[in-house]
Amino acid sequence: MPVSGYDPEDIDDTLEARLGDAELRERLTDEELDAYRSEEASLVDLLDEDEIARVLGVE
């Protein structure tokens, strides 16, 4: 979900900081978590739009 005017890496960093490791493990499947940790996918790629909005508090 690209957001015009925002760097996806910055959004990923913010999502990771707000979720923390434990919540990341709860929200992502093992395959998604592996893809994220190996940098094959970003949190922006793996979380849906609603989840991102909730985590960032911009619902």
Side-chain angles (χ1 to χ4, degrees), residues 8-27:
E9 287 185 33
D10 290 344
I11 295 172
D12 247 28
D13 291 344
T14 302
L15 289 168
E16 185 174 18
R18 291 191 181 185
L19 289 171
D21 194 53
E23 195 167 347
L24 278 175
R25 280 188 256 123
E26 287 177 21
R27 289 181 182 258

Side-chain angles (χ1 to χ4, degrees), residues 36-57:
Y36 175 67
R37 289 189 172 152
S38 66
E39 298 182 3
E40 293 173 22
S42 68
L43 291 175
V44 173
D45 297 327
L46 299 170
L47 298 173
D48 68 35
E49 203 172 316
D50 293 334
E51 287 178 299
I52 292 171
R54 274 193 297 278
V55 172
L56 296 178

